[in-house]
Amino acid sequence: MANRPIKKWRAGNLEVAIWQNEREFDGNTIGFKTVSLSRTWKKKDEEVWRSDVLNLRKNDISKVLVLLNKAQEELLLTESQKGEELK
């Protein structure tokens, strides 16, 4: 049986999924969850779908959100400043 996500969400070509995992630790099986963020695309003139996947642990998510917010802030402020210069 294939490993399937517990839950997943899609927005366009981006998808986030939550996975249940298990690992042996000191003779015990420990369960934990991870998150995968994937982006799929198809190159022009090719029929092959491609995908990039980033696997994250629970503690990584808040760090990724902060980094993405910083990037968005920079892009929005830079675009806003360029717009002001054109006036």
Side-chain angles (χ1 to χ4, degrees):
M1 185 168 128
N3 187 17
R4 295 194 176 176
I6 298 170
K7 190 95 175 177
K8 65 182 177 178
W9 300 269
R10 180 177 288 278
N13 67 333
L14 296 174
E15 181 178 278
V16 171
I18 299 175
W19 302 85
Q20 180 65 46
N21 301 276
E22 291 182 347
R23 176 168 284 166
E24 292 290 325
F25 184 74
D26 288 339
N28 297 315
T29 301
I30 306 295
F32 62 98
K33 294 176 183 166
T34 56
V35 172
S36 64
L37 171 61
S38 61
R39 179 179 67 95
T40 57
W41 76 98
K42 190 159 93 171
K43 280 189 171 182
K44 278 186 179 181
D45 306 324
E46 287 187 22
E47 292 301 316
V48 178
W49 282 94
R50 303 180 185 275
S51 115
D52 288 326
V53 178
L54 177 61
N55 294 306
L56 305 166
R57 298 273 178 118
K58 179 173 60 174
N59 293 335
D60 295 332
I61 295 172
S62 60
K63 296 171 190 174
V64 169
L65 290 173
V66 167
L67 293 170
L68 289 173
N69 281 326
K70 287 292 186 184
Q72 182 182 37
E73 181 180 289
E74 175 66 22
L75 292 172
L76 290 174
L77 289 175
T78 302
E79 288 175 10
S80 177
Q81 291 171 354
K82 285 183 182 177
E84 291 294 320
E85 293 170 4
L86 295 175
K87 288 183 179 180

